[in-house]
Amino acid sequence: MLAPLKVHSAQRAADEAVRIANEAAAARGAFTIALSGGSTPKSLYKLLAENPALRNSLPWDKMKVFFGDERHVGPGHADSNFQMASDTMFSKVPLQPRQIHRIKGEYPDTAQAAAEYEATIQREFGLKAGEFPRFDLVLLGMGSEGHTLSLFPGTKAVHETQRIVTRNWVGKLYTERITLTAPAANNAANIIFMIAGADKTCALKAVLEGPHEPEQLPAQMIQPSNGKLSWLVDQAAGSMLLKEILQ
Protein backbone atom coordinates (compact mmCIF):
# COMPACT_ATOMS: atom_id res chain seq x y z
CA MET A 1 0.00 0.00 0.00
CA LEU A 2 2.70 2.44 0.96
CA ALA A 3 4.13 4.67 -1.74
CA PRO A 4 6.55 7.60 -1.65
CA LEU A 5 4.94 10.69 -0.16
CA LYS A 6 5.54 14.12 -1.62
CA VAL A 7 4.42 17.52 -0.44
CA HIS A 8 1.15 18.29 -2.19
CA SER A 9 1.06 21.04 -4.76
CA ALA A 10 -0.96 21.58 -7.89
CA GLN A 11 2.28 22.27 -9.74
CA ARG A 12 3.74 18.89 -8.76
CA ALA A 13 0.57 17.10 -9.81
CA ALA A 14 0.47 19.05 -13.06
CA ASP A 15 4.06 18.17 -13.88
CA GLU A 16 3.31 14.48 -13.33
CA ALA A 17 0.16 14.64 -15.43
CA VAL A 18 2.01 16.31 -18.30
CA ARG A 19 4.80 13.72 -18.17
CA ILE A 20 2.41 10.77 -18.13
CA ALA A 21 0.26 12.29 -20.88
CA ASN A 22 3.15 12.83 -23.25
CA GLU A 23 4.65 9.39 -22.61
CA ALA A 24 1.29 7.73 -23.31
CA ALA A 25 0.63 9.81 -26.43
CA ALA A 26 4.08 9.03 -27.79
CA ALA A 27 3.76 5.31 -27.07
CA ARG A 28 0.17 4.67 -28.16
CA GLY A 29 -1.16 7.83 -29.76
CA ALA A 30 -3.64 8.37 -26.92
CA PHE A 31 -3.78 9.44 -23.29
CA THR A 32 -6.63 8.24 -21.08
CA ILE A 33 -7.34 9.94 -17.77
CA ALA A 34 -10.03 9.54 -15.11
CA LEU A 35 -10.66 12.80 -13.26
CA SER A 36 -11.50 13.20 -9.60
CA GLY A 37 -14.23 15.38 -8.21
CA GLY A 38 -14.12 17.33 -4.97
CA SER A 39 -12.34 20.51 -4.00
CA THR A 40 -8.70 19.41 -4.08
CA PRO A 41 -8.30 18.90 -7.85
CA LYS A 42 -9.74 22.31 -8.77
CA SER A 43 -6.36 23.98 -8.49
CA LEU A 44 -4.80 21.30 -10.71
CA TYR A 45 -7.41 21.66 -13.45
CA LYS A 46 -7.16 25.44 -13.30
CA LEU A 47 -3.38 25.27 -13.60
CA LEU A 48 -3.46 22.90 -16.57
CA ALA A 49 -5.92 25.18 -18.35
CA GLU A 50 -4.46 28.57 -17.54
CA ASN A 51 -0.68 28.14 -17.16
CA PRO A 52 0.69 28.71 -20.69
CA ALA A 53 3.68 26.39 -20.29
CA LEU A 54 1.57 23.51 -19.00
CA ARG A 55 -1.32 24.10 -21.38
CA ASN A 56 1.02 24.11 -24.37
CA SER A 57 2.77 20.94 -23.16
CA LEU A 58 -0.31 18.70 -23.09
CA PRO A 59 -1.37 16.61 -26.11
CA TRP A 60 -4.98 17.77 -25.94
CA ASP A 61 -5.88 16.23 -29.29
CA LYS A 62 -4.77 12.80 -28.03
CA MET A 63 -6.71 12.87 -24.76
CA LYS A 64 -9.70 10.78 -23.74
CA VAL A 65 -11.21 12.10 -20.54
CA PHE A 66 -13.30 10.05 -18.11
CA PHE A 67 -14.51 10.45 -14.53
CA GLY A 68 -13.90 8.30 -11.49
CA ASP A 69 -17.33 8.97 -10.04
CA GLU A 70 -20.32 11.27 -10.16
CA ARG A 71 -23.06 12.51 -7.89
CA HIS A 72 -26.74 11.83 -8.63
CA VAL A 73 -27.14 15.21 -10.32
CA GLY A 74 -27.01 16.47 -13.87
CA PRO A 75 -24.56 18.78 -15.64
CA GLY A 76 -25.04 22.34 -14.54
CA HIS A 77 -25.63 21.35 -10.91
CA ALA A 78 -23.25 22.83 -8.38
CA ASP A 79 -22.44 19.35 -7.02
CA SER A 80 -21.62 17.83 -10.42
CA ASN A 81 -18.05 16.61 -10.84
CA PHE A 82 -18.43 17.11 -14.58
CA GLN A 83 -19.55 20.71 -14.09
CA MET A 84 -16.60 21.48 -11.85
CA ALA A 85 -14.16 20.11 -14.44
CA SER A 86 -15.99 21.92 -17.21
CA ASP A 87 -15.87 25.26 -15.41
CA THR A 88 -12.23 25.00 -14.39
CA MET A 89 -10.72 23.23 -17.42
CA PHE A 90 -12.89 21.97 -20.30
CA SER A 91 -14.24 25.41 -21.18
CA LYS A 92 -10.71 26.79 -21.47
CA VAL A 93 -8.82 24.13 -23.42
CA PRO A 94 -8.98 22.63 -26.94
CA LEU A 95 -10.88 19.46 -26.02
CA GLN A 96 -13.70 18.34 -28.31
CA PRO A 97 -16.98 17.06 -26.80
CA ARG A 98 -16.31 13.61 -28.29
CA GLN A 99 -13.15 13.38 -26.15
CA ILE A 100 -15.03 13.85 -22.86
CA HIS A 101 -16.98 10.92 -21.45
CA ARG A 102 -19.15 11.96 -18.55
CA ILE A 103 -21.39 9.92 -16.27
CA LYS A 104 -25.11 10.61 -16.76
CA GLY A 105 -25.81 11.51 -13.16
CA GLU A 106 -29.09 13.15 -14.16
CA TYR A 107 -30.73 9.77 -14.88
CA PRO A 108 -33.40 8.92 -12.29
CA ASP A 109 -32.10 5.34 -12.38
CA THR A 110 -28.45 5.27 -11.33
CA ALA A 111 -28.19 1.63 -12.41
CA GLN A 112 -28.85 2.77 -15.97
CA ALA A 113 -26.23 5.51 -15.62
CA ALA A 114 -23.68 2.98 -14.34
CA ALA A 115 -24.47 0.48 -17.10
CA GLU A 116 -24.20 3.10 -19.86
CA TYR A 117 -20.94 4.45 -18.49
CA GLU A 118 -19.49 0.95 -18.23
CA ALA A 119 -20.52 0.30 -21.85
CA THR A 120 -18.82 3.56 -22.89
CA ILE A 121 -15.58 2.52 -21.21
CA GLN A 122 -15.74 -0.93 -22.78
CA ARG A 123 -16.23 0.62 -26.20
CA GLU A 124 -13.53 3.27 -25.87
CA PHE A 125 -10.97 0.78 -24.56
CA GLY A 126 -12.01 -2.06 -26.87
CA LEU A 127 -12.60 -4.39 -23.93
CA LYS A 128 -13.86 -7.93 -23.98
CA ALA A 129 -16.25 -9.26 -21.34
CA GLY A 130 -14.56 -9.46 -17.96
CA GLU A 131 -11.70 -7.11 -18.85
CA PHE A 132 -10.89 -3.90 -16.99
CA PRO A 133 -9.68 -0.68 -18.64
CA ARG A 134 -6.08 0.40 -18.28
CA PHE A 135 -6.22 4.12 -17.70
CA ASP A 136 -2.95 5.93 -18.17
CA LEU A 137 -3.78 8.08 -15.14
CA VAL A 138 -6.44 7.98 -12.43
CA LEU A 139 -6.65 11.02 -10.15
CA LEU A 140 -8.08 10.39 -6.70
CA GLY A 141 -8.96 12.31 -3.59
CA MET A 142 -9.87 11.03 -0.15
CA GLY A 143 -12.62 11.97 2.27
CA SER A 144 -12.14 12.66 5.94
CA GLU A 145 -13.50 9.18 6.77
CA GLY A 146 -11.16 7.43 4.31
CA HIS A 147 -13.41 7.03 1.27
CA THR A 148 -12.15 7.46 -2.29
CA LEU A 149 -14.06 7.62 -5.57
CA SER A 150 -17.59 6.98 -4.27
CA LEU A 151 -16.48 3.94 -2.32
CA PHE A 152 -17.71 4.81 1.16
CA PRO A 153 -17.17 2.77 4.33
CA GLY A 154 -19.73 0.03 4.81
CA THR A 155 -21.34 0.39 1.37
CA LYS A 156 -21.99 -2.39 -1.15
CA ALA A 157 -19.65 -1.00 -3.81
CA VAL A 158 -16.67 -1.74 -1.56
CA HIS A 159 -17.28 -5.45 -2.24
CA GLU A 160 -17.78 -5.21 -6.02
CA THR A 161 -15.14 -7.21 -7.90
CA GLN A 162 -16.67 -7.89 -11.33
CA ARG A 163 -18.05 -4.60 -12.59
CA ILE A 164 -16.12 -1.65 -14.00
CA VAL A 165 -18.78 0.81 -12.84
CA THR A 166 -21.47 0.45 -10.21
CA ARG A 167 -24.06 2.54 -8.45
CA ASN A 168 -23.68 2.93 -4.72
CA TRP A 169 -26.20 3.92 -2.08
CA VAL A 170 -24.50 6.13 0.53
CA GLY A 171 -26.76 6.17 3.56
CA LYS A 172 -24.84 8.85 5.46
CA LEU A 173 -25.48 11.25 2.59
CA TYR A 174 -28.92 9.85 1.74
CA THR A 175 -28.05 9.69 -1.93
CA GLU A 176 -26.78 7.40 -4.64
CA ARG A 177 -23.49 7.76 -6.48
CA ILE A 178 -22.07 6.21 -9.66
CA THR A 179 -18.47 5.10 -9.32
CA LEU A 180 -15.59 3.19 -10.80
CA THR A 181 -14.91 0.08 -8.77
CA ALA A 182 -11.63 -0.60 -6.99
CA PRO A 183 -10.57 -3.31 -9.49
CA ALA A 184 -11.14 -0.88 -12.37
CA ALA A 185 -9.02 1.80 -10.72
CA ASN A 186 -6.34 -0.69 -9.71
CA ASN A 187 -5.72 -1.68 -13.34
CA ALA A 188 -4.44 1.83 -14.12
CA ALA A 189 -0.85 2.49 -15.14
CA ASN A 190 -0.65 5.48 -12.78
CA ILE A 191 -2.74 6.53 -9.78
CA ILE A 192 -2.21 9.83 -8.00
CA PHE A 193 -3.89 10.67 -4.71
CA MET A 194 -4.09 14.40 -3.96
CA ILE A 195 -4.74 14.92 -0.24
CA ALA A 196 -5.03 18.34 1.35
CA GLY A 197 -6.35 19.75 4.59
CA ALA A 198 -6.19 19.12 8.33
CA ASP A 199 -9.56 17.33 8.22
CA LYS A 200 -7.84 14.44 6.38
CA THR A 201 -5.10 13.99 9.01
CA CYS A 202 -6.52 11.07 11.01
CA ALA A 203 -7.89 9.23 8.00
CA LEU A 204 -4.61 9.53 6.11
CA LYS A 205 -2.64 8.18 9.05
CA ALA A 206 -5.08 5.28 9.39
CA VAL A 207 -4.98 4.48 5.66
CA LEU A 208 -1.20 4.56 5.38
CA GLU A 209 -0.03 3.44 8.82
CA GLY A 210 -2.96 1.61 10.38
CA PRO A 211 -4.11 -2.00 9.97
CA HIS A 212 -5.55 -3.08 6.64
CA GLU A 213 -9.29 -2.60 7.12
CA PRO A 214 -10.69 -1.55 3.73
CA GLU A 215 -14.28 -1.99 4.87
CA GLN A 216 -13.66 0.96 7.19
CA LEU A 217 -11.07 2.73 5.01
CA PRO A 218 -11.87 2.12 1.33
CA ALA A 219 -8.86 4.16 0.19
CA GLN A 220 -6.79 1.16 1.32
CA MET A 221 -8.35 -0.80 -1.54
CA ILE A 222 -6.38 1.21 -4.06
CA GLN A 223 -3.36 -0.97 -4.69
CA PRO A 224 -2.55 -1.10 -8.42
CA SER A 225 -1.68 -4.56 -9.66
CA ASN A 226 0.76 -3.38 -12.31
CA GLY A 227 1.09 0.37 -11.97
CA LYS A 228 2.52 3.25 -9.98
CA LEU A 229 0.75 4.67 -6.94
CA SER A 230 1.71 8.16 -5.74
CA TRP A 231 0.46 10.22 -2.83
CA LEU A 232 0.71 14.02 -2.98
CA VAL A 233 0.04 15.17 0.57
CA ASP A 234 0.08 18.68 1.99
CA GLN A 235 1.69 19.45 5.33
CA ALA A 236 -1.63 19.77 7.15
CA ALA A 237 -2.94 16.38 6.01
CA GLY A 238 0.38 14.67 6.67
CA SER A 239 1.09 16.19 10.07
CA MET A 240 0.45 12.94 12.00
CA LEU A 241 2.45 10.62 9.75
CA LEU A 242 5.56 9.00 11.18
CA LYS A 243 7.33 8.73 7.85
CA GLU A 244 9.15 11.70 6.41
CA ILE A 245 7.34 13.65 3.72
CA LEU A 246 9.70 13.98 0.79
CA GLN A 247 10.18 17.41 -0.72
Side-chain angles (χ1 to χ4, degrees), residues 12-207:
R12 192 185 292 272
D15 289 342
E16 278 293 286
V18 168
R19 178 187 63 79
I20 294 166
N22 282 291
E23 288 179 358
R28 298 184 294 99
F31 167 57
T32 55
I33 181 171
L35 301 182
S36 173
S39 58
T40 305
K42 283 185 181 180
S43 56
L44 168 61
Y45 303 158
K46 183 178 176 66
L47 194 59
L48 292 175
E50 299 181 4
N51 180 288
L54 292 168
R55 179 188 168 108
N56 294 334
S57 297
L58 279 167
W60 296 105
D61 61 326
K62 305 290 196 304
M63 291 175 65
K64 292 184 178 183
V65 181
F66 300 84
F67 287 84
D69 67 327
E70 185 57 275
R71 279 83 178 249
H72 194 193
V73 297
H77 194 285
D79 293 336
S80 166
N81 290 339
F82 168 80
Q83 193 61 48
M84 184 274 282
S86 183
D87 292 342
T88 57
M89 184 168 63
F90 298 159
S91 62
K92 304 173 184 179
V93 300
L95 282 172
Q96 301 300 313
R98 60 179 171 77
Q99 296 176 263
I100 302 169
H101 305 285
R102 72 176 184 88
I103 301 169
K104 304 294 179 61
E106 68 271 26
Y107 284 3
D109 184 359
T110 54
Q112 180 186 358
E116 285 194 12
Y117 189 53
E118 181 167 292
T120 296
I121 291 174
Q122 288 171 326
R123 181 185 69 247
E124 292 297 319
F125 282 85
L127 301 179
K128 298 176 182 177
E131 291 182 335
F132 289 103
R134 183 152 175 86
F135 291 102
D136 294 305
L137 175 59
V138 172
L139 296 173
L140 295 178
M142 187 189 71
S144 58
E145 80 290 72
H147 89 269
T148 192
L149 296 166
S150 281
L151 305 173
F152 285 80
T155 59
K156 290 183 178 179
V158 170
H159 302 286
E160 178 58 58
T161 60
Q162 303 300 315
R163 296 284 303 276
I164 297 171
V165 182
T166 189
R167 68 174 175 179
N168 197 26
W169 168 251
V170 185
K172 62 171 282 187
L173 302 176
Y174 203 76
T175 189
E176 288 188 315
R177 298 281 185 93
I178 305 99
T179 184
L180 288 179
T181 62
N186 282 333
N187 202 45
N190 297 275
I191 300 174
I192 296 177
F193 272 96
M194 297 179 65
I195 313 295
D199 62 319
K200 312 292 176 64
T201 301
C202 290
L204 183 64
K205 184 175 179 63
V207 167

Side-chain angles (χ1 to χ4, degrees), residues 1-5 140 142 146 148 186 191 193 195 203-214 217-224 227-231 243:
M1 178 68 192
L2 297 184
L5 294 172
L140 295 178
M142 187 189 71
T148 192
N186 282 333
I191 300 174
F193 272 96
I195 313 295
L204 183 64
K205 184 175 179 63
V207 167
L208 293 179
E209 297 180 346
H212 186 66
E213 296 184 348
L217 300 165
Q220 289 184 333
M221 299 175 67
I222 304 304
Q223 301 184 48
K228 178 183 178 182
L229 174 63
S230 300
W231 292 78
K243 61 185 68 61

Side-chain angles (χ1 to χ4, degrees), residues 6-8 195-198 201 204 233-241 245-247:
K6 300 183 186 301
V7 173
H8 172 274
I195 313 295
T201 301
L204 183 64
V233 178
D234 77 355
Q235 294 286 5
S239 62
M240 287 179 63
L241 297 176
I245 295 179
L246 304 178
Q247 299 292 333

